[in-house]
Amino acid sequence: NHGSKEERFLCNYYHARIYENCGNNESALFSAANAESLGTSDIDPYSLTLLYALKGRIYHQAWRIHDAIKAYSLACENALKAEKYRHFAFYSLLLAEEYRYNDDLTKSIECVQHTEKYLPYFTLSEFHLYHRLMLLNMLESGTSPQECLKYAESYLKNYPQYNKIHWLVIAQVYLK
């Protein structure tokens, strides 16, 4: 055993990332499990955030929704401990998406709402994901077509980066 516990944890995490980048998710999860097997009590919360986000991505790709929910929940929890608010917002939005896949609209809406106090930390990616989820949740929750359309038009006016807009969701609003 060379290095500190944190260094060994990060070594296993980066090993998992390499496997993930190569598309070998089974080996990535094995390396992630090796990192976790060291114990997480003394590990920096930001390092834990990254590990649980990796697991969330892999579980999402495998349609293991319940595992993805658990992993993204842990990523969010650790991001807050680490005071990484943009990461918290991003993983909360990904968690909201997983809840949508799990047909839990209420929890999806809650996750999106939890990100609102962190809007100043958003990059364009978070803004577009946030607005896409807002519109999808509005459509599914029975919000009036006029209110959905008003929200969509405000979104398009304020964030006109057309390559990042989810046009299928916008079309759903106009067809409602």
Side-chain angles (χ1 to χ4, degrees), residues 47-92:
S47 298
L48 291 170
T49 300
L50 297 175
L51 179 79
Y52 292 125
L54 170 134
K55 289 177 71 175
R57 286 189 304 274
I58 292 171
Y59 291 140
H60 170 80
Q61 289 174 4
W63 285 98
R64 292 174 54 182
I65 303 305
H66 293 286
D67 291 329
I69 287 170
K70 183 178 177 186
Y72 282 134
S73 295
L74 289 168
C76 291
E77 178 185 316
N78 283 285
L80 277 181
K81 285 180 189 174
E83 298 179 357
K84 299 291 186 181
Y85 302 122
R86 187 190 69 78
H87 289 80
F88 169 77
F90 183 64
Y91 299 134
S92 291

Coordinates of all heavy atoms in Angstrom, one line a residue, residues 47-92:
S47 N -13.7 14.7 -3.8 CA -13.3 13.4 -4.5 C -14.5 12.4 -4.5 O -14.7 11.7 -5.5 CB -12.1 12.8 -3.7 OG -11.0 13.7 -3.7
L48 N -15.2 12.4 -3.4 CA -16.4 11.5 -3.3 C -17.5 12.0 -4.3 O -18.1 11.2 -5.0 CB -17.0 11.5 -1.9 CG -16.1 10.8 -0.9 CD1 -16.7 11.1 0.5 CD2 -16.1 9.3 -1.1
T49 N -17.6 13.3 -4.5 CA -18.5 13.8 -5.5 C -18.2 13.3 -6.9 O -19.1 12.8 -7.6 CB -18.5 15.4 -5.5 OG1 -18.8 15.9 -4.2 CG2 -19.4 16.0 -6.6
L50 N -17.0 13.3 -7.2 CA -16.5 12.9 -8.6 C -16.8 11.4 -8.7 O -17.2 10.9 -9.8 CB -15.1 13.2 -8.8 CG -14.7 14.7 -8.8 CD1 -13.2 14.9 -8.9 CD2 -15.5 15.4 -9.9
L51 N -16.5 10.6 -7.7 CA -16.7 9.2 -7.8 C -18.2 8.8 -7.9 O -18.5 8.0 -8.8 CB -16.1 8.5 -6.5 CG -16.3 6.9 -6.5 CD1 -15.3 6.3 -7.4 CD2 -16.3 6.4 -5.1
Y52 N -19.0 9.4 -7.1 CA -20.5 9.1 -7.2 C -21.1 9.6 -8.5 O -22.0 9.0 -9.0 CB -21.2 9.6 -6.0 CG -20.8 8.9 -4.7 CD1 -20.3 9.6 -3.6 CD2 -20.9 7.5 -4.7 CE1 -20.0 8.9 -2.5 CE2 -20.5 6.8 -3.5 CZ -20.0 7.5 -2.4 OH -19.7 6.8 -1.3
A53 N -20.6 10.7 -9.0 CA -21.1 11.2 -10.3 C -20.7 10.2 -11.4 O -21.5 9.9 -12.3 CB -20.5 12.6 -10.6
L54 N -19.5 9.7 -11.4 CA -19.0 8.6 -12.3 C -20.0 7.5 -12.3 O -20.4 7.0 -13.3 CB -17.6 8.2 -12.0 CG -17.1 7.0 -12.8 CD1 -15.7 7.3 -13.3 CD2 -17.0 5.8 -11.9
K55 N -20.3 7.0 -11.1 CA -21.2 5.8 -10.9 C -22.6 6.2 -11.4 O -23.2 5.4 -12.1 CB -21.3 5.4 -9.4 CG -20.0 4.8 -8.9 CD -20.0 4.4 -7.5 CE -21.0 3.3 -7.3 NZ -21.0 2.8 -5.8
G56 N -23.0 7.4 -11.2 CA -24.3 7.8 -11.7 C -24.4 7.8 -13.2 O -25.4 7.3 -13.8
R57 N -23.3 8.3 -13.9 CA -23.3 8.2 -15.4 C -23.3 6.8 -15.9 O -24.0 6.5 -16.8 CB -22.0 8.9 -15.9 CG -22.0 10.4 -15.8 CD -20.8 11.0 -16.5 NE -19.5 10.5 -16.0 CZ -18.8 11.0 -15.0 NH1 -19.3 12.0 -14.3 NH2 -17.6 10.5 -14.7
I58 N -22.5 5.9 -15.3 CA -22.5 4.6 -15.7 C -23.8 3.9 -15.5 O -24.3 3.2 -16.4 CB -21.3 3.8 -15.0 CG1 -20.0 4.3 -15.5 CG2 -21.4 2.3 -15.3 CD1 -18.8 3.8 -14.7
Y59 N -24.4 4.1 -14.3 CA -25.7 3.4 -14.1 C -26.8 4.0 -15.0 O -27.7 3.3 -15.5 CB -26.1 3.6 -12.6 CG -25.3 2.9 -11.6 CD1 -24.9 3.4 -10.4 CD2 -24.9 1.5 -11.9 CE1 -24.2 2.7 -9.5 CE2 -24.1 0.8 -11.0 CZ -23.8 1.4 -9.8 OH -23.0 0.7 -8.9
H60 N -26.7 5.3 -15.3 CA -27.6 5.9 -16.3 C -27.5 5.2 -17.6 O -28.5 4.8 -18.2 CB -27.4 7.4 -16.4 CG -28.1 8.0 -17.5 ND1 -29.5 8.4 -17.4 CD2 -27.8 8.3 -18.8 CE1 -29.9 8.9 -18.5 NE2 -28.9 8.9 -19.4
Q61 N -26.3 5.0 -18.1 CA -26.1 4.4 -19.4 C -26.6 3.0 -19.4 O -27.1 2.5 -20.5 CB -24.6 4.4 -19.8 CG -24.1 5.8 -20.1 CD -22.5 5.7 -20.3 OE1 -21.9 4.7 -20.3 NE2 -22.0 6.9 -20.5
A62 N -26.6 2.3 -18.3 CA -27.1 0.9 -18.2 C -28.5 0.8 -17.9 O -29.1 -0.3 -17.7 CB -26.2 0.1 -17.2
W63 N -29.2 2.0 -17.8 CA -30.6 2.0 -17.4 C -30.9 1.4 -16.0 O -31.9 0.8 -15.8 CB -31.5 1.5 -18.4 CG -31.7 2.4 -19.6 CD1 -31.0 2.3 -20.8 CD2 -32.5 3.5 -19.7 NE1 -31.3 3.4 -21.6 CE2 -32.3 4.1 -20.9 CE3 -33.4 4.1 -18.8 CZ2 -32.9 5.3 -21.4 CZ3 -34.1 5.3 -19.2 CH2 -33.8 5.8 -20.5
R64 N -29.9 1.5 -15.1 CA -30.0 1.1 -13.7 C -30.5 2.3 -13.0 O -29.7 2.9 -12.2 CB -28.8 0.5 -13.2 CG -28.4 -0.9 -13.9 CD -27.1 -1.5 -13.5 NE -26.9 -1.6 -12.1 CZ -25.8 -2.1 -11.6 NH1 -24.8 -2.4 -12.4 NH2 -25.6 -2.2 -10.3
I65 N -31.7 2.7 -13.1 CA -32.2 4.0 -12.7 C -32.1 4.1 -11.2 O -31.7 5.2 -10.6 CB -33.7 4.2 -13.1 CG1 -33.8 4.1 -14.7 CG2 -34.2 5.6 -12.6 CD1 -32.9 5.0 -15.4
H66 N -32.5 3.1 -10.4 CA -32.4 3.2 -8.9 C -31.0 3.4 -8.4 O -30.7 4.2 -7.5 CB -33.1 2.0 -8.3 CG -34.6 1.9 -8.5 ND1 -35.5 2.7 -7.9 CD2 -35.3 1.1 -9.3 CE1 -36.7 2.5 -8.3 NE2 -36.6 1.5 -9.2
D67 N -30.1 2.7 -9.1 CA -28.6 2.9 -8.7 C -28.2 4.3 -9.1 O -27.4 4.9 -8.4 CB -27.8 1.8 -9.4 CG -28.0 0.4 -8.8 OD1 -28.4 0.3 -7.6 OD2 -27.9 -0.6 -9.6
A68 N -28.6 4.7 -10.3 CA -28.2 6.1 -10.7 C -28.7 7.1 -9.7 O -28.0 8.1 -9.3 CB -28.7 6.4 -12.1
I69 N -30.0 7.0 -9.3 CA -30.6 7.9 -8.3 C -29.7 7.9 -7.0 O -29.4 9.0 -6.5 CB -32.0 7.5 -8.0 CG1 -32.9 7.9 -9.2 CG2 -32.6 8.2 -6.7 CD1 -34.3 7.4 -9.1
K70 N -29.4 6.7 -6.5 CA -28.6 6.6 -5.3 C -27.2 7.3 -5.5 O -26.8 8.1 -4.6 CB -28.4 5.2 -4.9 CG -27.6 5.0 -3.6 CD -27.5 3.5 -3.2 CE -26.7 3.4 -1.9 NZ -26.4 2.0 -1.6
A71 N -26.6 7.0 -6.6 CA -25.2 7.6 -6.9 C -25.3 9.1 -7.0 O -24.5 9.8 -6.4 CB -24.6 7.0 -8.1
Y72 N -26.2 9.6 -7.8 CA -26.4 11.1 -8.0 C -26.8 11.8 -6.6 O -26.3 12.9 -6.4 CB -27.3 11.5 -9.1 CG -26.7 11.3 -10.5 CD1 -27.4 10.7 -11.5 CD2 -25.5 11.8 -10.8 CE1 -26.9 10.5 -12.7 CE2 -24.9 11.7 -12.0 CZ -25.7 11.0 -13.0 OH -25.1 10.9 -14.3
S73 N -27.6 11.1 -5.8 CA -27.9 11.7 -4.5 C -26.6 11.8 -3.7 O -26.5 12.9 -3.0 CB -28.9 10.8 -3.8 OG -30.1 10.7 -4.5
L74 N -25.8 10.8 -3.7 CA -24.5 10.9 -2.9 C -23.6 12.0 -3.5 O -22.9 12.7 -2.8 CB -23.8 9.5 -2.9 CG -24.5 8.5 -2.0 CD1 -24.0 7.1 -2.2 CD2 -24.4 8.9 -0.5
A75 N -23.6 12.1 -4.8 CA -22.8 13.1 -5.5 C -23.2 14.5 -5.0 O -22.4 15.4 -4.7 CB -22.8 13.0 -7.0
C76 N -24.6 14.7 -5.0 CA -25.1 16.0 -4.5 C -24.8 16.3 -3.1 O -24.3 17.4 -2.8 CB -26.6 16.0 -4.7 SG -27.2 16.0 -6.4
E77 N -24.9 15.3 -2.2 CA -24.7 15.4 -0.8 C -23.2 15.9 -0.6 O -22.9 16.8 0.2 CB -25.0 14.1 -0.1 CG -24.7 14.1 1.3 CD -24.9 12.7 1.9 OE1 -25.9 12.1 1.6 OE2 -24.0 12.2 2.7
N78 N -22.3 15.2 -1.3 CA -20.9 15.5 -1.1 C -20.5 16.8 -1.8 O -19.6 17.5 -1.3 CB -20.0 14.3 -1.6 CG -20.0 13.2 -0.6 OD1 -19.3 13.3 0.4 ND2 -20.8 12.2 -0.8
A79 N -21.1 17.2 -2.9 CA -20.8 18.4 -3.5 C -21.2 19.6 -2.6 O -20.4 20.6 -2.5 CB -21.6 18.6 -4.8
L80 N -22.3 19.5 -1.9 CA -22.6 20.5 -0.9 C -21.6 20.6 0.2 O -21.2 21.7 0.6 CB -24.0 20.3 -0.3 CG -25.2 20.8 -1.2 CD1 -26.5 20.5 -0.5 CD2 -25.0 22.3 -1.5
K81 N -21.2 19.4 0.7 CA -20.2 19.4 1.8 C -18.9 20.0 1.3 O -18.2 20.7 2.1 CB -19.9 17.9 2.2 CG -20.9 17.3 3.1 CD -20.5 15.9 3.4 CE -21.6 15.1 4.1 NZ -21.3 13.7 4.3
A82 N -18.5 19.8 0.0 CA -17.3 20.4 -0.5 C -17.5 21.8 -1.0 O -16.5 22.5 -1.4 CB -16.8 19.5 -1.7
E83 N -18.7 22.4 -0.8 CA -19.0 23.7 -1.3 C -18.8 23.9 -2.8 O -18.3 25.0 -3.2 CB -18.3 24.8 -0.4 CG -18.7 24.7 1.0 CD -17.9 25.7 1.9 OE1 -17.1 26.5 1.4 OE2 -18.2 25.8 3.1
K84 N -19.0 22.9 -3.5 CA -18.9 22.9 -5.0 C -20.4 23.1 -5.5 O -21.0 22.1 -5.9 CB -18.3 21.6 -5.5 CG -16.9 21.4 -5.0 CD -15.9 22.5 -5.6 CE -14.5 22.2 -5.2 NZ -13.6 23.2 -5.7
Y85 N -20.8 24.3 -5.5 CA -22.3 24.6 -5.8 C -22.7 24.3 -7.3 O -23.8 23.9 -7.5 CB -22.6 26.0 -5.3 CG -22.3 26.2 -3.9 CD1 -21.5 27.2 -3.4 CD2 -22.9 25.3 -2.9 CE1 -21.2 27.3 -2.1 CE2 -22.6 25.4 -1.6 CZ -21.7 26.4 -1.2 OH -21.4 26.6 0.2
R86 N -21.8 24.6 -8.2 CA -22.1 24.3 -9.6 C -22.3 22.8 -9.8 O -23.2 22.3 -10.4 CB -21.1 24.9 -10.6 CG -21.5 24.7 -12.0 CD -20.4 25.0 -13.0 NE -19.3 24.0 -13.0 CZ -19.4 22.8 -13.5 NH1 -20.4 22.4 -14.2 NH2 -18.3 22.0 -13.5
H87 N -21.4 22.0 -9.2 CA -21.5 20.6 -9.2 C -22.7 20.1 -8.6 O -23.4 19.2 -9.1 CB -20.3 19.9 -8.5 CG -19.0 20.1 -9.3 ND1 -18.2 21.3 -9.2 CD2 -18.3 19.3 -10.1 CE1 -17.2 21.1 -10.0 NE2 -17.2 19.9 -10.5
F88 N -23.1 20.7 -7.4 CA -24.3 20.3 -6.8 C -25.5 20.5 -7.7 O -26.4 19.7 -7.9 CB -24.5 21.1 -5.5 CG -25.9 20.9 -4.9 CD1 -26.3 19.8 -4.2 CD2 -26.9 21.9 -5.1 CE1 -27.6 19.6 -3.7 CE2 -28.2 21.7 -4.6 CZ -28.5 20.6 -4.0
A89 N -25.5 21.7 -8.3 CA -26.7 22.0 -9.2 C -26.7 21.1 -10.4 O -27.8 20.5 -10.7 CB -26.5 23.5 -9.7
F90 N -25.6 20.8 -11.0 CA -25.5 19.9 -12.2 C -26.0 18.5 -11.8 O -26.8 17.9 -12.5 CB -24.1 19.9 -12.8 CG -24.0 19.1 -14.0 CD1 -24.7 19.4 -15.2 CD2 -23.2 18.0 -14.0 CE1 -24.6 18.6 -16.3 CE2 -23.1 17.2 -15.2 CZ -23.8 17.5 -16.3
Y91 N -25.5 18.0 -10.7 CA -25.8 16.6 -10.4 C -27.3 16.6 -9.8 O -27.9 15.5 -10.0 CB -24.8 16.0 -9.3 CG -23.4 16.0 -9.9 CD1 -22.3 16.4 -9.2 CD2 -23.2 15.5 -11.2 CE1 -21.1 16.3 -9.7 CE2 -22.0 15.4 -11.8 CZ -20.9 15.9 -11.0 OH -19.6 15.8 -11.6
S92 N -27.8 17.6 -9.3 CA -29.2 17.7 -8.9 C -30.1 17.6 -10.1 O -31.1 17.0 -10.1 CB -29.5 18.9 -8.1 OG -28.9 18.9 -6.8

